[in-house]
Amino acid sequence: MFIKKILVTLSVISFTISCTPINQNSDILNKNSLIKTNVVDSNNSSDVMKKLNDILNKSGKISDEDINISVYSSVANTVVGINSTIVEKGFFRQNVVKGSGSGVVVSKKGHILTNYHVVNNATKLQVVLSNKKAYTAKMLGGDENNDVALIKIEAPESEFAVATLGDSSKINIGQKVLAIGSPYGLSGTLTTGIISSLNRKLPTDDGQVLDGIIQTDAAINPGNSGGPLINSKGEIIGINTAIFSPNGGSVGIGFAIPINKIKDILKDVDI
């Protein structure tokens, strides 16, 4: 599995992203556009609070472990693995490069939210659901400047569990967060931590700067890009996008795009 490691180099320390850039030629939108307002299901709700209330009623207390288990059991089936294939044509031969990332299901119609850098330049995209079923995906559009993209697979609605999008304007430094994704291809991996800081600026390799970024110490590694950052209610509050690392692995400095920024993009674009 090929992993693109350098997003931005700062002296000898680099931001690391989790997958090979990919791009699909069919149905591509303007690079600064994403999806229309009614793509995301708005009537879904997390059942985490119900589970925690049941635990509280039975035992009289809620532990950190209870939160971890409740969130994971409610959200893990909304998270997918994304495998990409890029065919690089040389003068004498073709070079096939493979990469991997994560995504999160946002509608029963098969719409999946991920990072732009996960799906840019792909000749082939494959999505693996939490039940291990694999489907070919197509890219609908993306916003390169905010590292957000939408892809879609065709599958029965019964195959999809849909994530609940939270409100990133209400998050605070010190708040518990969880990340689910496919680091190094290990699907369904859960890590936990806190929000370490807010409103970070994250430079990109094309000279742009992502602003308003969430910083977390939840372990994020290559393959986590495009996966969700989740609050203790089971709501998606961000999409994991990069880490700050001297060695390519997690050192407790990860970054996520706030979900409200992504919601704003969803409102503005039509397909």
Side-chain angles (χ1 to χ4, degrees):
M1 178 179 64
F2 177 84
I3 300 171
K4 181 176 179 179
K5 291 187 175 180
I6 305 301
L7 176 58
V8 177
T9 300
L10 300 179
S11 300
V12 296
I13 301 178
S14 64
F15 282 103
T16 302
I17 59 177
S18 66
C19 54
T20 306
I22 38 187
N23 178 34
Q24 193 125 339
N25 293 326
S26 62
D27 298 320
I28 295 293
L29 302 182
N30 181 291
K31 70 176 183 178
N32 291 322
S33 62
L34 188 61
I35 50 181
K36 62 184 178 181
T37 306
N38 64 0
V39 164
V40 177
D41 290 345
S42 59
N43 59 352
N44 62 87
S45 59
S46 171
D47 63 349
V48 172
M49 298 309 294
K50 180 180 182 301
K51 292 180 179 179
L52 292 177
N53 282 331
D54 289 343
I55 293 171
L56 183 63
N57 290 334
K58 290 179 181 179
S59 65
K61 62 181 180 179
I62 298 173
S63 69
D64 194 54
E65 184 180 77
D66 292 329
I67 295 173
N68 294 343
I69 294 171
S70 297
V71 170
Y72 186 82
S73 64
S74 297
V75 181
N77 59 351
T78 72
V79 182
V80 305
I82 300 174
N83 299 317
S84 66
T85 301
I86 300 174
V87 178
E88 299 176 338
K89 295 183 179 180
F91 188 77
F92 295 105
R93 64 179 182 178
Q94 292 184 344
N95 183 33
V96 178
V97 179
K98 295 182 181 294
S100 67
S102 304
V104 60
V105 178
V106 293
S107 87
K108 284 284 189 179
K109 295 180 179 179
H111 295 93
I112 296 165
L113 192 64
T114 187
N115 286 142
Y116 184 86
H117 77 256
V118 172
V119 294
N120 182 40
N121 294 324
T123 52
K124 181 180 179 181
L125 286 174
Q126 181 192 64
V127 166
V128 181
L129 301 179
S130 62
N131 61 11
K132 308 304 181 183
K133 292 182 181 179
Y135 295 88
T136 298
K138 66 178 180 179
M139 182 174 175
L140 297 182
D143 184 339
E144 182 177 8
N145 292 336
N146 287 292
D147 199 20
V148 179
L150 188 81
I151 63 176
K152 188 176 188 293
I153 63 174
E154 298 296 336
E157 289 191 4
S158 59
E159 292 290 329
F160 300 113
V162 178
T164 300
L165 304 187
D167 182 355
S168 55
S169 71
K170 296 181 179 180
I171 62 178
N172 295 287
I173 296 172
Q175 178 178 333
K176 178 183 176 67
V177 289
L178 307 91
I180 301 175
S182 301
Y184 299 105
L186 300 171
S187 61
T189 296
L190 171 70
T191 57
T192 66
I194 63 169
I195 295 175
S196 304
S197 189
L198 297 170
N199 298 314
R200 291 296 195 197
K201 293 185 181 294
L202 183 64
T204 67
D205 56 357
D206 61 358
Q208 301 293 321
V209 176
L210 303 180
D211 57 14
I213 298 298
I214 301 167
Q215 180 184 332
T216 179
D217 69 349
I220 297 171
N221 286 287
N224 273 113
S225 275
L229 189 69
I230 311 156
N231 65 16
S232 57
K233 296 179 181 179
E235 300 167 336
I236 311 304
I237 58 169
I239 296 296
N240 298 316
T241 188
I243 61 174
F244 188 67
S245 174
N247 56 22
S250 175
V251 293
I253 305 176
F255 302 96
I257 304 164
I259 199 64
N260 284 15
K261 176 174 286 191
I262 297 171
K263 287 180 184 177
D264 288 341
I265 298 170
L266 307 187
K267 293 177 182 177
D268 292 340
V269 182
D270 195 18
I271 57 174

